[in-house]
Amino acid sequence: MNLNDWKITLNGQPVVRSDSIDDLFPDTRSKNQKKKDRKEHFKQKRKMRGSLTIELPMEKPWHERIVIKENK
């Protein structure tokens, strides 16, 4: 016995099953937006998992660290 053996009704109306959830909720996002959303989803998932993040202070470029002494 499975679900197809029963007639399911809601307020007297038969309940019909869609073959795909895409029929009920079509995705209208662009391809690039889908990629961005997927990337963001996995980024948030990594953060939720409690991965170790290290914040490193930005180091000055080497040419700004050189101190030139003037001869007087």
Side-chain angles (χ1 to χ4, degrees), residues 3-61:
L3 199 57
N4 293 330
D5 296 336
W6 299 88
K7 184 176 181 181
I8 302 171
T9 60
L10 181 64
N11 294 335
Q13 299 295 323
V15 177
V16 290
R17 193 187 87 185
S18 175
D19 291 334
S20 171
I21 195 161
D22 293 333
D23 297 338
L24 297 173
F25 305 105
D27 195 359
T28 57
R29 298 175 297 163
S30 67
K31 187 176 180 181
N32 281 343
Q33 188 61 43
K34 288 178 189 177
K35 282 174 143 181
K36 287 178 185 176
D37 291 345
R38 179 177 166 83
K39 186 177 180 182
E40 184 66 25
H41 167 74
F42 284 105
K43 181 179 174 183
Q44 292 300 326
K45 191 173 178 181
R46 283 192 301 274
K47 283 185 179 181
M48 292 294 291
R49 193 172 57 215
S51 61
L52 183 64
T53 56
I54 300 172
E55 293 289 329
L56 296 175
M58 197 65 174
E59 194 173 291
K60 285 186 178 180

